[in-house]
Amino acid sequence: MSLVELIARADARGLAASGLACLDRCVPLLDGDDEVLRPLWALLAADAADADGTCGAAGRDWAEGLAQVRDKLAGPDAGGEDEAVVLARRMLEAAPAACTGPALRTWADACSVASLRIHRLLDPVGDAAREADVPRDGGTEGLPPLVAAELRRQTGVLELLADRGAAGLRPALEVSTEGRRVLRAVVSRRARGRA
């Protein structure tokens, strides 16, 4: 299935994990540490004990955890930030307070688009199509390496949750952690290049 189809079919836990994973991989742009989103991942895992494909039981805790993350990652007014940072900030700001409902699907879909755009902007290979959206309904052929890897990660996270349910959360987090390390290295190289 394509990424678009996987998002369309995902349950609430899959959508929350998908959006959270995209945001997690982009945390280096927000000067966040590697553990800043861990409490939200833990909420999804704890709530999985009820395992009906929703993450509604952790609703209040999700909203509180989200507020704490926003406080920790609060940055300057976006006016002086580059597009990649602005996109990452929007992902965090748009996260729904309720870990259920149509807003969650909208957020997961928007995070997917934003994260792919961020990876296209930061890909050192670069190409003339930087302004174009990354196609999400096909394979990775013709995409720059950083973008192709992000598309595979997004697809992998949703497949893990679809195939394994709650048991897919840990490997999904591992996929996200690997992507965060890659993006942190890219962001670090870019900062050195600008110095």
Side-chain angles (χ1 to χ4, degrees):
M1 272 190 282
S2 73
L3 179 55
V4 172
E5 291 170 321
L6 286 165
I7 291 172
R9 294 183 182 197
D11 62 16
R13 183 173 43 242
L15 293 169
S18 176
L20 194 56
C22 288
L23 181 58
D24 202 354
R25 288 189 293 277
C26 295
V27 157
L29 289 164
L30 303 177
D31 294 326
D33 68 55
D34 289 347
E35 300 297 313
V36 71
L37 295 178
R38 188 67 69 142
L40 293 176
W41 282 105
L43 283 171
L44 290 181
D47 197 47
D50 303 335
D52 61 353
T54 70
C55 54
R60 189 179 69 248
D61 292 336
W62 172 269
E64 290 171 2
L66 197 52
Q68 290 171 6
V69 168
R70 285 181 176 135
D71 285 344
K72 288 178 183 174
L73 295 178
D77 182 13
E81 296 178 332
D82 69 26
E83 185 180 353
V85 175
V86 170
L87 288 167
R89 222 167 266 302
R90 283 185 191 154
M91 272 196 271
L92 178 58
E93 291 165 4
C99 190
T100 186
L104 193 58
R105 190 172 310 280
T106 301
W107 178 63
D109 191 59
C111 285
S112 169
V113 171
S115 186
L116 287 166
R117 175 99 180 108
I118 286 167
H119 283 75
R120 174 164 260 171
L121 288 167
L122 298 178
D123 198 302
V125 172
D127 61 14
R130 278 184 187 266
E131 299 303 315
D133 286 337
V134 176
R136 299 182 304 148
D137 53 0
T140 59
E141 188 177 345
L143 294 176
L146 195 64
V147 179
E150 172 61 9
L151 185 61
R152 283 191 296 272
R153 285 186 190 99
Q154 288 190 25
T155 302
V157 165
L158 285 159
E159 287 173 344
L160 282 165
L161 272 292
D163 293 345
R164 302 188 196 178
L169 283 168
R170 180 172 291 280
L173 177 57
E174 290 168 3
V175 167
S176 187
T177 299
E178 175 203 1
R180 185 180 349 104
R181 286 186 189 125
V182 169
L183 198 67
R184 192 173 293 284
V186 170
V187 169
S188 178
R189 277 196 304 271
R190 186 171 79 146
R192 285 195 305 270
R194 289 178 171 180

